[in-house]
Amino acid sequence: MIAVSMEHPHVPHFSRRRRHAEKRYIRDRWAHFLSVDHRGFLTVEGVPVDRIVRKFGTPIYVMVEREIRRNFRRFKKVFGNDIKLQYAVKCNSNLEILRMAREEGFELDCASVGELILGLLADLKPRQLSYTNLYKTDQDLHFATKVGVQSITADSVEDLEHIAATAKKLRTQVRTVIRVNPMIDIRNYSTKGNKYGIPLKQVLKAVDIAAKSPFVDFRGFHFMGGYISSPWTLRAAARVLTKIIRDCQDKRIPIKTLSLGGGFPAAIGDQTAFPIEDLRSFPKYFRRLLEGARVTMPIQLIFEPGKSIVLNAGIGLMHVVANKEIHHFNRMIIADGSTYNFIPDALVQSNIHYDILPASKMFSPRVHKVTVGGNTCDCWDLITKGITMPKLEAGDILAAMDVGAYAQVLANNFNTIKRAAVVLIHEDGTFKQIRRRDRYSEMFAPELDVLKMADPNELERYNNLYRVNIDKIWKGQSRKNGKK
Ligand SMILES: Cc1ncc(COP(=O)(O)O)c(C=O)c1O
């Protein structure tokens, strides 16, 4: 009885603190998978972040399965059978995510032979893989053609001629799509300076080349417009492309597909994104455009979303390793992740301000402004600047939010530092590693391999090092110091 009456008054007090913490730090878009435990630690699907970092070390990415599947399903629900959906592998190419894409009824948009191979490893059929980039080598084209991918996109007249010539050599027909730059200008959005696609005035010449080649099975058009901040962008592109499709019909050149690429928005920091539901009427709009232009050919629309599926599902956990008072109004928190090895987009896109949560101090109020510096020896390596944070010390955990896209795939080994592991967390709170940290032996292999070929004597010294197996020494060390 006493225990109950002692505990009871604490319950509302505790939940009030948690509610405050959630209000202060947790944005609505994460609220269905993030919470705070009684100690003030951030939890993901109910799992406190310190449990994850104790098991796998830091820095580490956590991908939230429920959020990824929710986004796949949202696209499916909005576009149903009207638009074919292809997940853009480039934004996060982890095999588990590609498998999820397959399970959720998505095909894949691949930007390289490497991504085609990943698609096959994730058990997609070659006809479920489209291959779109700016340039392909002979070997790339041989591979994609022999495997039998859904289509190959020509990004320039030269690329198209290369595809036709390779198909001729292989004595086969290649399903080919032409990427168009529609040269649109709409409000502050323009594709005029965009490197993607064949400029509008050259498109009909490219269509003629494709239609005349007996080795090109010309399927249709592709458009990729960069970041789509308004549904109007796609409508403007569709209007231009409908005119081209009409021209093709007049020349009796059948058009079967139109891909409008990716670029669908996803919220980051305090920037918002229009909901994908705002595009619900797009298929109807496109049908009306075709009718208005008296196009009678049935055209399959394709979308290739990337970051809008995975960006908000990614959390980057880091430890604070130092707190330096540079000046009374400028405190520098050093983390064990960086803008090179962990969150490279922070460096590439200077207008992005990631939310960094004090994951081990979620009940603590924000008290002062800090800059979060990465752990590499480079002064540009600042993960975020001027963010208000509680007092932090070495050992605290930080959570960088919205790092599910263009982080893991862009991360590099600058300073010869290993890239982080990735954990997938399920809705029931179980989690598993879906990518391990790099190994030194594989990081050095490209150089050791050529040394081996170049000069066996010179290699002797390195080889001795290699034979003692650097990774083994490292593992022994990390067992003593906790996993890294
Ligand atoms: C051809 C193509 N499709 C899809 C995408 C995916 O874009 P996002 O991740 O912005 O949706 C890209 C990104 O560059 C692309 O080049």
Side-chain angles (χ1 to χ4, degrees), residues 11 45 89 103 147 153 170 182-183 262 284 295 309 387 415 430:
V11 174
E45 299 289 22
V89 177
E103 286 165 10
V147 162
T153 305
L170 293 172
M183 296 287 172
K284 208 196 253 173
V295 172
I309 305 285
I387 184 170
N415 278 200
T430 56

Side-chain angles (χ1 to χ4, degrees), residues 16-45:
R16 222 176 16 246
R17 279 174 74 196
R18 178 145 64 186
R19 262 203 312 277
H20 282 153
E22 287 175 359
K23 243 195 189 148
R24 194 182 298 129
Y25 295 113
I26 298 181
R27 292 189 191 273
D28 288 350
R29 63 175 178 267
W30 316 312
H32 56 288
F33 56 85
L34 290 190
S35 185
V36 180
D37 73 5
H38 64 284
R39 301 165 302 154
F41 276 68
L42 184 72
T43 68
V44 187
E45 299 289 22

